[in-house]
Short mmCIF file of all heavy atoms in Angstrom, two decimals:
data_model
loop_
_atom_site.label_atom_id
_atom_site.label_comp_id
_atom_site.label_asym_id
_atom_site.label_seq_id
_atom_site.Cartn_x
_atom_site.Cartn_y
_atom_site.Cartn_z
N ASP A 833 -41.06 15.89 159.57
CA ASP A 833 -41.30 14.71 160.37
C ASP A 833 -42.16 15.09 161.57
O ASP A 833 -41.71 15.87 162.44
CB ASP A 833 -39.95 14.17 160.82
CG ASP A 833 -40.09 13.11 161.89
OD1 ASP A 833 -41.16 12.49 162.01
OD2 ASP A 833 -39.12 12.87 162.70
N ILE A 834 -43.40 14.65 161.59
CA ILE A 834 -44.31 14.97 162.70
C ILE A 834 -44.40 13.81 163.66
O ILE A 834 -44.75 12.66 163.27
CB ILE A 834 -45.71 15.26 162.15
CG1 ILE A 834 -45.70 16.44 161.16
CG2 ILE A 834 -46.65 15.51 163.29
CD1 ILE A 834 -47.03 16.73 160.49
N SER A 835 -43.94 14.06 164.91
CA SER A 835 -44.06 13.04 165.97
C SER A 835 -45.09 13.53 166.94
O SER A 835 -45.66 14.62 166.82
CB SER A 835 -42.75 12.85 166.65
OG SER A 835 -41.75 12.44 165.74
N ASP A 836 -45.37 12.72 168.00
CA ASP A 836 -46.40 13.11 168.97
C ASP A 836 -45.95 14.41 169.72
O ASP A 836 -46.76 15.28 169.98
CB ASP A 836 -46.57 12.05 170.00
CG ASP A 836 -47.53 10.97 169.49
OD1 ASP A 836 -47.81 10.93 168.30
OD2 ASP A 836 -47.96 10.11 170.33
N LEU A 837 -44.66 14.51 170.06
CA LEU A 837 -44.22 15.61 170.95
C LEU A 837 -43.28 16.60 170.25
O LEU A 837 -42.80 17.55 170.92
CB LEU A 837 -43.55 14.99 172.20
CG LEU A 837 -44.47 14.07 173.06
CD1 LEU A 837 -43.67 13.43 174.19
CD2 LEU A 837 -45.61 14.88 173.63
N SER A 838 -42.94 16.35 169.03
CA SER A 838 -42.02 17.30 168.38
C SER A 838 -42.20 17.19 166.86
O SER A 838 -42.65 16.12 166.31
CB SER A 838 -40.55 17.03 168.77
OG SER A 838 -40.10 15.86 168.05
N LYS A 840 -39.83 17.99 163.24
CA LYS A 840 -38.52 18.40 162.69
C LYS A 840 -38.67 18.60 161.24
O LYS A 840 -39.40 17.91 160.55
CB LYS A 840 -37.49 17.30 162.96
CG LYS A 840 -37.13 17.08 164.37
CD LYS A 840 -36.88 15.71 164.72
CE LYS A 840 -37.17 15.41 166.18
NZ LYS A 840 -37.64 14.05 166.38
N GLN A 858 -36.47 22.29 164.68
CA GLN A 858 -37.19 21.32 165.55
C GLN A 858 -37.98 22.14 166.61
O GLN A 858 -37.41 23.07 167.16
CB GLN A 858 -36.17 20.41 166.27
CG GLN A 858 -36.81 19.59 167.32
CD GLN A 858 -35.83 18.58 167.95
OE1 GLN A 858 -34.62 18.66 167.74
NE2 GLN A 858 -36.36 17.65 168.68
N GLU A 905 -46.47 3.81 163.75
CA GLU A 905 -47.35 2.99 164.57
C GLU A 905 -48.76 2.87 164.02
O GLU A 905 -49.54 2.03 164.45
CB GLU A 905 -47.38 3.53 166.00
CG GLU A 905 -47.90 4.99 166.15
CD GLU A 905 -47.69 5.51 167.55
OE1 GLU A 905 -48.05 4.81 168.52
OE2 GLU A 905 -47.09 6.58 167.65
N GLU A 990 -42.86 6.56 157.79
CA GLU A 990 -41.61 6.93 158.45
C GLU A 990 -40.39 6.00 158.18
O GLU A 990 -39.25 6.47 157.87
CB GLU A 990 -41.84 7.03 159.92
CG GLU A 990 -41.08 8.08 160.64
CD GLU A 990 -41.39 8.08 162.13
OE1 GLU A 990 -42.48 7.65 162.55
OE2 GLU A 990 -40.54 8.49 162.93
N ASP A 1013 -35.48 2.57 165.66
CA ASP A 1013 -35.70 4.01 165.87
C ASP A 1013 -36.27 4.17 167.28
O ASP A 1013 -37.43 3.83 167.55
CB ASP A 1013 -36.68 4.54 164.81
CG ASP A 1013 -37.07 5.99 165.06
OD1 ASP A 1013 -36.29 6.67 165.80
OD2 ASP A 1013 -38.11 6.42 164.57
N PHE A 1014 -35.39 4.64 168.15
CA PHE A 1014 -35.71 4.72 169.59
C PHE A 1014 -36.17 6.18 169.88
O PHE A 1014 -35.35 7.09 170.04
CB PHE A 1014 -34.51 4.37 170.42
CG PHE A 1014 -34.74 4.03 171.87
CD1 PHE A 1014 -33.76 3.47 172.60
CD2 PHE A 1014 -36.00 4.22 172.49
CE1 PHE A 1014 -33.94 3.20 174.01
CE2 PHE A 1014 -36.24 3.92 173.78
CZ PHE A 1014 -35.20 3.41 174.56
N GLY A 1015 -37.53 6.45 169.82
CA GLY A 1015 -38.02 7.80 169.93
C GLY A 1015 -38.50 8.16 171.30
O GLY A 1015 -38.38 7.39 172.24
N ALA A 1016 -39.02 9.39 171.42
CA ALA A 1016 -39.48 9.90 172.72
C ALA A 1016 -40.68 9.09 173.16
O ALA A 1016 -40.88 8.81 174.32
CB ALA A 1016 -39.83 11.34 172.60
N THR A 1017 -41.57 8.66 172.21
CA THR A 1017 -42.83 8.09 172.64
C THR A 1017 -43.00 6.62 172.25
O THR A 1017 -44.01 5.99 172.63
CB THR A 1017 -44.05 8.86 171.97
OG1 THR A 1017 -43.93 8.81 170.59
CG2 THR A 1017 -44.01 10.35 172.45
N ARG A 1018 -42.11 6.07 171.37
CA ARG A 1018 -42.22 4.67 170.98
C ARG A 1018 -40.95 4.26 170.29
O ARG A 1018 -40.09 5.07 169.94
CB ARG A 1018 -43.46 4.47 170.12
CG ARG A 1018 -43.55 4.97 168.79
CD ARG A 1018 -43.40 5.99 167.96
NE ARG A 1018 -42.73 6.42 166.87
CZ ARG A 1018 -41.49 6.26 166.45
NH1 ARG A 1018 -40.68 5.49 167.07
NH2 ARG A 1018 -41.01 6.89 165.44
N THR A 1019 -40.84 2.92 170.12
CA THR A 1019 -39.62 2.40 169.42
C THR A 1019 -40.13 1.57 168.22
O THR A 1019 -41.05 0.76 168.34
CB THR A 1019 -38.85 1.45 170.31
OG1 THR A 1019 -38.38 2.26 171.46
CG2 THR A 1019 -37.67 0.87 169.65
N SER A 1039 -38.16 6.54 175.06
CA SER A 1039 -37.11 7.25 175.78
C SER A 1039 -37.73 8.16 176.86
O SER A 1039 -37.13 8.31 177.94
CB SER A 1039 -36.27 8.08 174.79
OG SER A 1039 -35.14 8.61 175.43
N GLN A 1040 -38.91 8.68 176.59
CA GLN A 1040 -39.57 9.47 177.60
C GLN A 1040 -40.02 8.60 178.74
O GLN A 1040 -39.97 8.99 179.93
CB GLN A 1040 -40.72 10.28 177.04
CG GLN A 1040 -41.09 11.39 177.99
CD GLN A 1040 -42.27 12.18 177.45
OE1 GLN A 1040 -43.42 11.68 177.40
NE2 GLN A 1040 -42.02 13.40 177.11
N THR A 1043 -37.18 8.28 181.06
CA THR A 1043 -37.04 9.47 181.93
C THR A 1043 -38.09 9.40 183.04
O THR A 1043 -37.75 9.65 184.20
CB THR A 1043 -37.23 10.75 181.10
OG1 THR A 1043 -36.40 10.70 179.98
CG2 THR A 1043 -36.90 12.01 181.94
N GLU A 1058 -34.37 13.89 183.23
CA GLU A 1058 -33.96 13.95 181.82
C GLU A 1058 -32.44 14.32 181.72
O GLU A 1058 -31.74 13.74 180.95
CB GLU A 1058 -34.82 15.02 181.10
CG GLU A 1058 -34.53 15.29 179.63
CD GLU A 1058 -35.05 14.20 178.69
OE1 GLU A 1058 -35.78 13.29 179.12
OE2 GLU A 1058 -34.73 14.31 177.48
N LYS A 1061 -30.39 11.30 182.74
CA LYS A 1061 -30.47 10.31 181.63
C LYS A 1061 -29.48 10.69 180.55
O LYS A 1061 -28.66 9.86 180.03
CB LYS A 1061 -31.87 10.26 181.04
CG LYS A 1061 -31.99 9.28 179.86
CD LYS A 1061 -33.42 9.30 179.30
CE LYS A 1061 -33.63 10.40 178.30
NZ LYS A 1061 -34.91 10.30 177.56
N ILE A 1062 -29.43 12.02 180.15
CA ILE A 1062 -28.56 12.45 179.08
C ILE A 1062 -27.11 12.52 179.51
O ILE A 1062 -26.28 12.09 178.77
CB ILE A 1062 -29.12 13.81 178.53
CG1 ILE A 1062 -30.46 13.62 177.75
CG2 ILE A 1062 -28.09 14.48 177.66
CD1 ILE A 1062 -31.08 14.78 177.26
N CYS A 1115 -31.15 4.55 165.59
CA CYS A 1115 -31.35 6.01 165.38
C CYS A 1115 -32.42 6.48 166.29
O CYS A 1115 -33.02 5.72 167.04
CB CYS A 1115 -31.66 6.29 163.89
SG CYS A 1115 -33.23 5.65 163.36
N GLY A 1116 -32.79 7.78 166.19
CA GLY A 1116 -33.76 8.40 167.11
C GLY A 1116 -33.00 8.84 168.31
O GLY A 1116 -31.93 8.28 168.67
N GLY A 1117 -33.50 9.90 168.98
CA GLY A 1117 -32.76 10.48 170.10
C GLY A 1117 -32.44 9.48 171.25
O GLY A 1117 -31.41 9.53 171.91
N GLY A 1118 -33.34 8.53 171.45
CA GLY A 1118 -33.22 7.55 172.57
C GLY A 1118 -31.97 6.68 172.38
O GLY A 1118 -31.41 6.12 173.32
N ALA A 1119 -31.50 6.62 171.10
CA ALA A 1119 -30.36 5.78 170.80
C ALA A 1119 -29.07 6.35 171.42
O ALA A 1119 -28.05 5.62 171.58
CB ALA A 1119 -30.15 5.64 169.30
N LEU A 1120 -29.12 7.66 171.80
CA LEU A 1120 -27.91 8.30 172.35
C LEU A 1120 -27.71 7.97 173.83
O LEU A 1120 -26.71 8.39 174.37
CB LEU A 1120 -28.11 9.81 172.22
CG LEU A 1120 -28.01 10.30 170.77
CD1 LEU A 1120 -28.51 11.72 170.67
CD2 LEU A 1120 -26.60 10.23 170.24
N LEU A 1121 -28.63 7.16 174.42
CA LEU A 1121 -28.40 6.79 175.83
C LEU A 1121 -27.03 6.18 175.98
O LEU A 1121 -26.70 5.12 175.34
CB LEU A 1121 -29.48 5.77 176.22
CG LEU A 1121 -29.55 5.42 177.68
CD1 LEU A 1121 -30.12 6.52 178.51
CD2 LEU A 1121 -30.36 4.14 177.89
N LYS A 1122 -26.15 6.77 176.80
CA LYS A 1122 -24.81 6.27 176.98
C LYS A 1122 -24.81 4.78 177.43
O LYS A 1122 -25.51 4.45 178.35
CB LYS A 1122 -24.00 7.11 177.97
CG LYS A 1122 -23.74 8.48 177.42
CD LYS A 1122 -22.78 9.30 178.35
CE LYS A 1122 -22.51 10.62 177.73
NZ LYS A 1122 -22.98 11.78 178.49
N LYS A 1159 -24.65 14.06 166.82
CA LYS A 1159 -25.57 13.48 167.79
C LYS A 1159 -27.05 13.89 167.53
O LYS A 1159 -27.95 13.06 167.50
CB LYS A 1159 -25.18 13.88 169.23
CG LYS A 1159 -24.10 13.01 169.79
CD LYS A 1159 -23.93 13.34 171.26
CE LYS A 1159 -22.99 12.39 171.90
NZ LYS A 1159 -22.83 12.68 173.28
N LEU A 1162 -29.17 12.29 164.82
CA LEU A 1162 -29.84 10.99 164.99
C LEU A 1162 -31.32 11.15 165.20
O LEU A 1162 -32.18 10.32 164.84
CB LEU A 1162 -29.27 10.24 166.16
CG LEU A 1162 -27.96 9.46 165.87
CD1 LEU A 1162 -27.46 8.82 167.13
CD2 LEU A 1162 -28.17 8.39 164.83
N GLU A 1163 -31.70 12.27 165.79
CA GLU A 1163 -33.12 12.63 165.93
C GLU A 1163 -33.73 13.03 164.61
O GLU A 1163 -34.96 13.07 164.47
CB GLU A 1163 -33.32 13.77 167.00
CG GLU A 1163 -32.91 13.37 168.38
CD GLU A 1163 -33.11 14.47 169.43
OE1 GLU A 1163 -33.66 15.54 169.03
OE2 GLU A 1163 -32.75 14.25 170.57
N1 ATP B 1467 -27.93 12.03 174.82
C1 ATP B 1467 -29.13 11.44 175.05
N2 ATP B 1467 -29.26 10.36 175.86
C2 ATP B 1467 -30.43 9.76 176.06
N3 ATP B 1467 -31.59 10.16 175.51
C3 ATP B 1467 -31.55 11.21 174.67
C4 ATP B 1467 -30.32 11.88 174.42
N4 ATP B 1467 -30.66 12.91 173.58
C5 ATP B 1467 -31.96 12.87 173.33
N5 ATP B 1467 -32.52 11.87 173.99
C6 ATP B 1467 -33.93 11.46 174.02
O1 ATP B 1467 -34.40 11.31 172.76
C7 ATP B 1467 -35.87 11.53 172.74
C8 ATP B 1467 -36.18 12.29 171.45
O2 ATP B 1467 -35.86 11.50 170.36
P1 ATP B 1467 -36.56 11.67 168.94
O3 ATP B 1467 -36.44 13.16 168.59
O4 ATP B 1467 -36.01 10.68 168.04
O5 ATP B 1467 -38.07 11.36 169.34
P2 ATP B 1467 -39.35 11.83 168.46
O6 ATP B 1467 -39.06 11.62 167.06
O7 ATP B 1467 -39.78 13.20 168.94
O8 ATP B 1467 -40.46 10.85 169.07
P3 ATP B 1467 -41.09 9.60 168.37
O9 ATP B 1467 -40.27 9.15 167.24
O10 ATP B 1467 -41.20 8.58 169.47
O11 ATP B 1467 -42.51 10.03 168.01
C9 ATP B 1467 -36.17 12.26 174.03
O12 ATP B 1467 -36.90 11.43 174.89
C10 ATP B 1467 -34.79 12.55 174.60
O13 ATP B 1467 -34.81 12.47 176.04
#
Side-chain angles (χ1 to χ4, degrees):
D833 168 24
I834 299 175
S835 299
D836 280 10
L837 300 175
S838 75
K840 289 145 208 150
Q858 170 173 13
E905 61 190 309
E990 214 180 334
D1013 174 20
F1014 196 172
T1017 62
R1018 67 319 114 324
T1019 298
S1039 189
Q1040 195 178 71
T1043 309
E1058 178 78 6
K1061 178 182 82 172
I1062 290 176
C1115 67
L1120 291 167
L1121 187 76
K1122 289 188 177 116
K1159 277 189 171 179
L1162 278 176
E1163 295 181 3

